[in-house]
């Protein structure tokens, strides 16, 4: 099977291969690789033109929305202003329509002057500058060849970028860590320069050439140094962005890293040397002479060929590309094995942990232990820039997708994006549970980490279970009844699905073994532990007294086993009817016990009929339901005459419903509750309203005032209610009868309620820019229904119902 091509999106272009400083920690001139000696000092016109053409072709072929080019060296300012202007013009002109160029230059700042700044303003080049801190810290390594300090020139360069006319060019500072420098003094010196961002980089090292580790600084001095900076940074209110710290925060939350040196995101970077050679990341120059070479060049090879190079592929394979030690590590999703170059050892290549392994683990755990928790509802967690004039939108959702959701719908691709974001959040919450519970090591956690590498589909199937997250939320919320046992249950369920023969000790609760997504086994003991061993043909449970119970994947099994029953609603659409998992009691209504055969058949028939109705009448809602609704939890019936349904805020993918009398009502409840599920996932990604707003708002359909989120949730859910009754009215078009009159009256009532609620939201003054856009989408969603003509009797019936509700509210 051929590897799916991951396009290259970042290009480091060497415009000059010499430098005016003699930094002793430079990986280009001071480490193992010596290829710079044979290369031209300045990149030629032909190389620039051909490189721009290659990048443009690649961007067009892969539909890239943005390409990042970093002009680099040596010292790129030595190339001169005209060469830099030509580079900017060539690269920008070669890109296809719709593809933006993020163009930057990384310099030591010595030659930066107003003329260069004017040029960079004109051709839109942002500037990053290398600076290791105050003068003492910077002069430890960054000096001229004759030993003179470069610090005054660098401060002058940063001063230029801080001027109002050039401030927009200031991309940030790059600081290489030296544990002999005072971390607080370094932080403060950089903070004084008001940078938008700072990158703290570990000095390049390998197992062959390890970093210095002063005997009096402890076993992990680089972690200690960075944590001292972190504490100062936090105390100062995070005055600038730090990609290392921000990446740890994000990866602890299951999100993507912002830097190649952390996380499991595939590398998408290639280097272009002055002679037109394509190379891998520059950091590999620290490993051995020729390590970054690919044997490919801009004149003979396309970027697709570069992307398929084995060295590039090795940095794009995530967990599978890491050593066995890394794959079993509990912080691997944050660490990612560290920078690829730092793993090198002569007798094992790059199949090793980072030479900074202990430092990375200490740093990640140190940040986690300082109280970094999983993001809660409403937290803005994964945001990327929007187009000019647009508010930011959650990564993984495009603006059209968010607009689609705002109108009430959500196609398959859009809801899949929500599913992925929720799975990442569940992972983050489990990591937070581990941290908050003091589980530095545990057999269940280690098995989960192993399965994440060896059987990711099996693990995802279990972590995608709605009530896995519901338990994690309870545990993090301090619920005394939410013990740590479910972690072992999740591990055992994943192990059974993987079928590798792993054995897991799982606690017995209330006389039963619970395996999320699989079912429940009644055992004789009320408490204690059982051993669960998975295999391809099923699994075996061994109790403390030696009894063995075998549960077969197919065929005859032990009668005490109660599997989760799955209902096939239509081609490609199956849901679990969940009546075994104790965590399912996450809704505001009590859940049903295990369903008997007759009730199971009644549910199956009603669900299939409801699915057919949704596919036929509400396809814009049914597409999302097919992808995102994994679980229906039967609830106990409510008071006579009242249909009962609910969606749990921390159980994405599940709805709870007491089976109603008719399938159309079930279809309505499914569509209504899944609106809450979708909106909850959006609110986990981005703020739609100001959380500081504590005012209460009247929803037209409720007698009691609600917080703004309650009004938002209700309005969004009733877009589906309006659509349901609107399609019923169309079905009854021109027909008399009680059912038709009821549908018209309900449609008149709910379209009026929903339209009024949208305007109340829009006028609250508490919506964010995206919230206002979302409200516009809801307004657009209800508008066509307002234009449907109805008989006067239906409108009058709706008015009576509204007056009756208002009278009830006044009496209360």
């Amino acid at each position: 099977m051929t590897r799916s091509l991951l396009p290259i999106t970042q290009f480091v272009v060497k415009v000059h291969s010499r430098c005016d400083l003699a930094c002793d920690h430079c990986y280009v001139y001071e480490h193992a690789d010596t290829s710079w000696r044979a290369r031209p000092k300045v990149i030629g016109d032909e190389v620039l033109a051909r490189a721009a053409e290659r990048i443009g072709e690649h961007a067009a072929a892969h539909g890239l929305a943005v390409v990042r080019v970093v002009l680099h060296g040596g010292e790129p300012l030595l190339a001169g202003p005209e060469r830099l202007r030509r580079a900017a013009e060539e690269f920008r002109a070669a890109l296809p329509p719709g593809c933006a160029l993020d163009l930057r230059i990384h310099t030591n700042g010595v030659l930066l002057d107003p003329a260069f700044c004017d040029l960079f303003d004109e051709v839109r080049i942002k500037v990053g500058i290398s600076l290791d801190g105050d003068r003492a810290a910077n002069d430890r390594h960054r000096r001229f060849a004759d030993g003179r300090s470069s610090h005054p020139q660098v401060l002058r360069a940063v001063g230029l970028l801080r001027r109002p006319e050039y401030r927009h060019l200031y991309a940030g500072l790059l600081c290489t860590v030296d544990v002999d420098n005072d971390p607080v003094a370094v932080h403060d010196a950089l903070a004084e320069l008001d940078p938008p961002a700072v990158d703290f980089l570990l000095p390049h090292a390998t197992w062959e050439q390890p970093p210095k580790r002063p005997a009096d600084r402890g076993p992990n001095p680089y972690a200690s140094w960075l944590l001292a900076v972190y504490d100062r940074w936090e105390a100062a209110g995070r005055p600038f962005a730090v990609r290392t710290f921000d990446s740890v925060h994000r990866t602890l939350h299951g999100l993507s890293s912002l830097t190649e040196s952390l996380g499991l995101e595939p590398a998408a970077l290639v280097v272009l040397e002055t002679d037109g050679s394509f190379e891998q990341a520059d950091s590999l120059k620290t490993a051995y002479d020729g390590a970054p070479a690919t044997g490919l060049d801009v004149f003979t090879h396309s970027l697709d060929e570069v992307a398929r190079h084995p060295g590039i592929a090795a940095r794009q394979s995530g967990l599978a590309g890491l050593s066995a030690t890394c794959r079993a590590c509990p912080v691997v999703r944050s660490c990612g094995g560290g920078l690829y170059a730092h793993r090198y050892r002569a007798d094992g290549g790059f199949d090793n942990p980072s030479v900074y392994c202990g430092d990375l683990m200490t740093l990640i755990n140190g940040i986690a232990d300082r109280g970094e928790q999983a993001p809660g509802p409403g937290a803005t967690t994964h945001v990327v820039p929007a187009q000019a004039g647009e508010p930011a939108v959650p990564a993984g959702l495009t603006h059209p997708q968010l607009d689609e959701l705002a109108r009430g719908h959500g196609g398959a691709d859009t809801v899949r994006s929500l599913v992925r974001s929720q799975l990442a959040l569940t992972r983050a919450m489990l990591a937070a549970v581990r941290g908050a519970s003091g589980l530095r090591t545990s057999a269940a956690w280690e098995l989960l980490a192993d399965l994440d590498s060896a059987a990711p589909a099996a693990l995802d199937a279990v972590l995608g279970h709605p009530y896995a997250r519901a338990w994690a939320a309870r545990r993090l919320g301090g619920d005394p009844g939410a013990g740590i046992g479910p972690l072992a249950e999740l591990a055992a369920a994943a192990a059974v699905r993987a079928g590798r023969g792993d054995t897991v000790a799982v606690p017995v609760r209330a006389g039963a073994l619970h395996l999320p997504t699989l079912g429940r086994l009644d055992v004789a003991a009320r408490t204690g532990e059982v051993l669960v061993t998975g295999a391809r043909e099923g699994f075996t449970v061994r109790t403390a007294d030696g009894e063995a119970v075998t549960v077969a994947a197919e065929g005859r099994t032990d009668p005490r086993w109660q599997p989760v029953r799955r209902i096939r609603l239509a081609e490609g659409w199956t849901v679990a009817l969940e009546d075994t998992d104790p965590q399912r009691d996450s809704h505001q209504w009590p859940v049903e016990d295990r369903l008997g055969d007759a009730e199971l058949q009644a549910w199956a028939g009603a669900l299939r009929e409801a699915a057919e109705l949704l596919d036929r009448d509400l396809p814009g809602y049914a597409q999302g339901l097919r992808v995102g609704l994994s679980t229906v939890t039967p609830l106990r019936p409510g008071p006579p005459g009242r249909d009962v349904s609910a969606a749990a805020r921390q159980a994405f993918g599940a709805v709870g419903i007491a089976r109603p009398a008719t399938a159309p009502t079930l279809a309505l409840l499914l569509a209504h509750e899944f609106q809450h599920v979708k909106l909850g996932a959006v609110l986990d990604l981005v703020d739609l309203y100001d959380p500081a707003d504590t005012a209460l708002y009247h929803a037209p359909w409720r007698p009691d005032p609600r917080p703004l989120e309650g009004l938002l949730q209700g309005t969004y859910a009733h877009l589906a209610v309006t659509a349901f009754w609107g399609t019923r009215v169309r079905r009854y078009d021109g027909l008399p009868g009680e059912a038709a009159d009821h549908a018209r009256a309900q449609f008149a009532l709910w379209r009026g309620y929903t339209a009024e609620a949208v305007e109340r939201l829009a006028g609250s003054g508490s919506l964010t820019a995206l919230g206002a856009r979302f409200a516009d989408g809801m307004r657009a969603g209800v508008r066509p229904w307002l234009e449907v003509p109805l008989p006067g009797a239906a409108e009058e019936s709706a008015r009576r119902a509204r007056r009756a509700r208002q009278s009830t509210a006044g009496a209360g």
Side-chain angles (χ1 to χ4, degrees):
M1 181 180 293
T2 58
R3 180 175 67 91
S4 177
L5 181 67
L6 293 172
I8 296 169
T9 59
Q10 299 181 58
F11 302 86
V12 174
V13 178
K14 301 298 190 72
V15 294
H16 202 283
S17 67
R18 303 296 188 272
C19 190
D20 47 2
L21 292 182
C23 307
D24 61 15
H25 57 13
C26 179
Y27 56 80
V28 177
Y29 308 112
E30 301 295 333
H31 284 249
D33 188 80
T34 60
S35 59
W36 62 274
R37 299 179 185 277
R39 292 202 166 103
K41 290 184 178 180
V42 185
I43 195 168
D45 290 347
E46 189 178 3
V47 173
L48 271 179
R50 190 63 173 142
E53 183 181 349
R54 292 291 194 193
I55 293 173
E57 291 171 351
H58 195 67
H62 295 280
L64 300 182
V66 64
V67 164
R68 172 175 285 191
V69 174
V70 181
L71 305 179
H72 213 281
E75 170 47 50
L77 295 184
L78 289 172
E82 290 311 310
R83 181 70 46 190
L84 297 177
R85 177 191 296 277
R86 184 180 184 90
E89 292 172 347
E90 290 274 12
F91 289 125
R92 191 160 274 118
L95 291 180
C99 181
L101 177 64
D102 179 356
L103 185 57
R104 300 175 182 239
I105 191 166
H106 192 85
T107 171
N108 60 36
V110 168
L111 297 177
L112 191 68
D113 61 15
F116 271 123
C117 289
D118 289 338
L119 169 66
F120 297 156
D121 181 32
E122 178 187 348
V123 297
R124 291 174 284 165
I125 299 178
K126 291 191 172 183
V127 185
I129 291 186
S130 296
L131 178 64
D132 289 348
D134 56 13
R135 179 163 184 158
N138 200 66
D139 286 355
R140 195 180 294 278
H141 300 287
R142 296 188 185 278
R143 291 177 173 269
F144 289 95
D146 60 7
R148 286 179 297 126
S149 170
S150 66
H151 192 253
Q153 291 93 326
V154 181
L155 288 190
R156 176 185 50 77
V158 175
L160 273 174
L161 294 176
R162 295 177 68 191
R163 291 183 186 179
E165 65 268 33
Y166 300 135
R167 175 74 195 189
H168 62 289
L169 304 176
Y170 191 9
L173 304 173
L174 183 149
C175 173
T176 299
V177 173
D178 189 317
V179 294
D180 287 334
N181 292 329
D182 181 339
V184 172
V186 168
H187 172 279
D188 292 353
L190 299 179
E192 285 179 6
L193 301 179
D194 193 24
V198 174
D199 274 351
F200 291 102
L201 302 184
L202 295 171
H204 289 311
T206 68
W207 291 100
E208 299 302 311
Q209 297 290 329
K212 66 180 179 183
R213 296 187 180 277
D216 60 342
R217 307 290 170 81
N220 299 305
Y222 294 90
S224 300
W225 196 95
L226 285 168
L227 287 170
V229 172
Y230 180 87
D231 290 338
R232 185 71 164 187
W233 179 68
E234 284 280 11
R238 301 186 180 184
F240 43 78
V242 179
R243 284 201 304 172
T244 298
F245 301 156
D246 291 338
S247 292
V248 173
H249 291 161
R250 290 167 63 88
T251 53
L252 286 172
H253 297 158
L255 304 176
S256 61
S257 173
L258 303 174
T259 173
E260 182 188 6
S261 60
L262 291 168
L264 293 169
E265 282 66 43
L269 177 147
V270 71
V271 177
L272 179 73
E273 292 286 354
T274 55
D275 62 355
S277 299
F278 287 121
E279 290 205 336
Q280 301 172 63
D282 256 8
S283 55
L284 286 170
K285 293 180 185 296
T286 201
Y288 57 88
D289 200 8
T294 65
L296 309 176
D297 66 75
V298 74
F299 300 106
T300 12
H301 301 96
S302 71
L303 283 166
D304 277 10
E305 291 175 279
V306 177
R308 292 190 179 97
H309 184 274
I312 302 290
R315 292 160 50 239
Q316 296 181 331
S317 51
L319 274 172
L322 301 183
S323 69
T325 301
C326 291
R327 293 197 301 271
C329 178
V331 301
V332 65
R333 288 198 166 270
S334 287
C335 169
L339 195 67
Y340 190 72
H342 296 173
R343 307 173 200 168
Y344 179 72
R345 191 193 299 266
D347 60 357
F350 297 94
D351 188 25
N352 307 289
S354 168
V355 72
Y356 291 104
C357 177
D359 293 282
L360 292 172
M361 177 172 282
T362 301
L363 173 66
I364 292 163
N365 285 332
I367 290 176
D369 289 345
R370 280 160 167 76
E372 189 66 24
Q373 297 296 324
T380 303
T381 56
H382 195 183
V383 175
V384 295
Q387 300 299 314
E390 290 185 315
V393 66
L397 283 179
T398 64
H399 274 283
Q401 285 178 323
L402 196 67
D403 291 341
E404 178 189 19
L405 287 164
R407 290 191 295 273
H409 298 153
D413 288 343
T414 298
V415 176
R416 282 192 193 100
S417 295
L418 296 181
V419 170
R420 286 192 293 269
S421 74
Q422 290 291 293
L423 181 59
L425 186 52
T426 297
R427 288 176 176 275
M429 293 177 76
L430 288 179
V433 165
R434 168 183 168 270
S437 303
L439 295 177
R440 283 287 165 251
T441 60
S442 95
W445 183 263
E446 290 170 5
L447 178 58
L448 287 170
D450 182 36
L451 292 171
D452 201 7
S453 170
L459 182 60
D460 284 351
V462 174
L463 298 189
H465 181 45
Y467 300 117
R469 172 164 163 198
W471 162 72
R474 286 176 172 175
R475 177 75 183 177
L476 291 171
D479 182 347
I484 200 65
L487 193 67
E489 294 171 353
L490 293 170
V496 170
R497 285 181 171 275
R500 301 190 312 172
D502 299 284
T503 297
V504 190
V506 184
V508 173
R509 291 191 288 151
L513 162 71
H514 299 280
L515 296 178
T517 73
L518 298 175
R520 175 178 68 198
L521 178 71
D522 290 331
V523 295
R526 297 291 299 171
T527 58
E529 283 187 338
V530 295
L531 297 179
V532 180
T533 303
R536 291 185 182 278
E537 64 277 6
F539 63 97
T540 300
V541 178
R542 289 179 174 82
T543 64
D545 58 7
E547 181 188 10
V549 178
T550 298
V551 177
E554 296 180 4
R556 187 175 180 82
T557 193
D558 192 285
R560 289 172 292 177
W561 172 244
Q562 296 179 346
V564 174
R565 276 87 64 104
R566 311 189 70 81
I567 310 297
R568 183 178 181 276
L569 305 186
E571 184 67 33
W573 190 0
T574 300
V575 298
L577 199 62
E578 180 58 83
D579 57 3
T580 66
D581 193 327
Q583 307 299 335
R584 75 189 188 280
D585 191 10
S586 299
H587 307 278
Q588 66 263 41
W589 295 93
V591 297
E592 276 283 19
D593 293 326
R594 179 71 168 179
L595 301 180
D597 289 344
E599 182 62 10
L600 173 65
Q601 293 304 315
W603 263 106
L607 282 168
R608 292 185 183 115
E609 188 176 342
E612 183 179 352
L613 186 151
L614 288 166
D615 271 342
R616 183 193 69 190
D617 290 350
L618 295 174
Y621 293 87
Q623 290 179 42
L625 279 158
R626 279 176 169 267
V627 172
L629 180 66
S630 64
T631 303
V632 175
T633 297
L635 302 179
R636 293 179 183 171
R642 179 173 182 179
D643 291 312
V644 167
S645 64
R649 181 65 178 81
Q650 298 290 349
F652 177 85
V655 298
I657 295 176
R659 184 173 62 84
T662 69
T665 302
L666 179 56
L668 171 61
L669 296 177
L670 288 169
H672 171 274
E673 296 302 340
F674 195 66
Q675 292 293 94
H676 291 302
V677 171
K678 289 187 297 185
L679 183 57
V682 171
L683 291 174
D684 281 336
L685 287 170
V686 67
D687 286 331
L688 296 181
Y689 62 90
D690 180 0
D693 182 357
T694 58
L696 298 178
Y697 297 82
H698 280 281
W701 52 85
R702 290 183 68 107
D704 55 326
R706 306 279 289 157
L708 190 61
E709 183 178 347
L711 178 61
L712 174 61
Q713 285 277 4
T715 307
Y716 191 66
H718 288 123
L719 287 173
V721 174
T722 299
F724 173 85
W725 288 114
T727 59
R728 303 298 285 175
V729 166
R730 286 176 178 170
R731 289 283 168 188
Y732 289 123
D733 187 25
L735 297 177
E738 184 177 343
D741 290 343
H742 176 71
R744 294 177 188 120
Q746 288 295 302
F747 177 50
L749 179 67
W750 288 108
R751 72 176 182 177
Y753 276 162
T754 308
E756 181 181 334
V758 170
E759 299 310 318
R760 194 164 293 173
L761 277 169
S764 68
S766 291
L767 298 184
T768 63
L770 268 183
R773 181 178 181 139
F774 204 83
D776 286 342
M778 289 193 289
R779 185 183 289 115
V782 76
R783 186 181 300 121
W785 297 117
L786 297 175
E787 298 169 359
V788 175
L790 284 174
E795 297 286 11
E796 177 56 32
S797 177
R799 283 192 288 271
R800 287 197 303 269
R802 289 176 67 94
R803 286 195 296 269
R805 191 175 296 269
Q806 289 164 358
S807 173
T808 302

